[in-house]
Amino acid sequence: MHTDIDDKPWWVADFGSTKGISEIRIFNRIDDIGIAARAGRLAIDLAINPDEWLEVYRRETDEPFGGIDGNPLIFKPTIPIPGRFVRIRLLTRNYLHLDQVEVYGEPLPNFPQPAPTLATAEQP
């Protein structure tokens, strides 16, 4: 996936309900060193409600990280963090290019769920 050039472009995944997020793996595009360097400065945010994000990881370096070469960026908190939404965002104006994102976690069946965030259209 990739975006156009933008101020702090982002990618979001919605899991539909809150999960205990235990690991996130970000696979960078490594087919071109210039493209790989674009993802150097990024942040990972989690949210239960899409209006209230929590930054859980920040990377501020121009050193590219790997991808399919077996060296993806791995964020692994010491304990699972509750989240329904995962957002990866660049900290600068650039293109966001990634090969793959893997998110691991477990359902949290007793965790209170926020109200649905999308309005439904009424049919005539």
Side-chain angles (χ1 to χ4, degrees):
M1 76 85 188
H2 68 87
T3 67
D4 202 350
I5 192 163
D6 202 354
D7 290 320
K8 301 177 183 174
W10 50 268
W11 170 90
V12 171
D14 177 354
F15 299 108
S17 63
T18 303
K19 311 292 184 201
I21 306 298
S22 58
E23 185 173 334
I24 299 172
R25 294 178 180 214
I26 304 173
F27 292 78
N28 199 5
R29 281 193 47 194
I30 58 173
D31 51 316
D32 179 280
I33 192 67
I35 291 174
R38 292 175 178 169
R41 298 177 185 277
L42 60 76
I44 300 173
D45 305 318
L46 298 179
I48 295 169
N49 177 324
D51 297 325
E52 299 175 24
W53 292 94
L54 173 65
E55 183 178 294
V56 295
Y57 177 83
R58 178 177 281 248
R59 184 175 195 274
E60 296 191 60
T61 178
D62 292 323
E63 180 82 19
F65 60 91
I68 60 171
D69 61 351
N71 296 304
L73 175 65
I74 299 174
F75 167 70
K76 193 169 188 174
T78 54
I79 61 170
I81 302 172
R84 172 180 167 174
F85 301 92
V86 173
R87 177 173 67 188
I88 298 169
R89 62 183 164 87
L90 291 186
L91 302 174
T92 60
R93 179 177 177 80
N94 213 329
Y95 299 89
L96 177 58
H97 292 272
L98 299 173
D99 264 346
Q100 180 174 316
V101 177
E102 297 176 358
V103 180
Y104 299 91
E106 297 292 328
L108 297 175
N110 297 326
F111 197 87
Q113 301 299 322
T117 58
L118 299 176
T120 56
E122 291 185 23
Q123 297 295 321

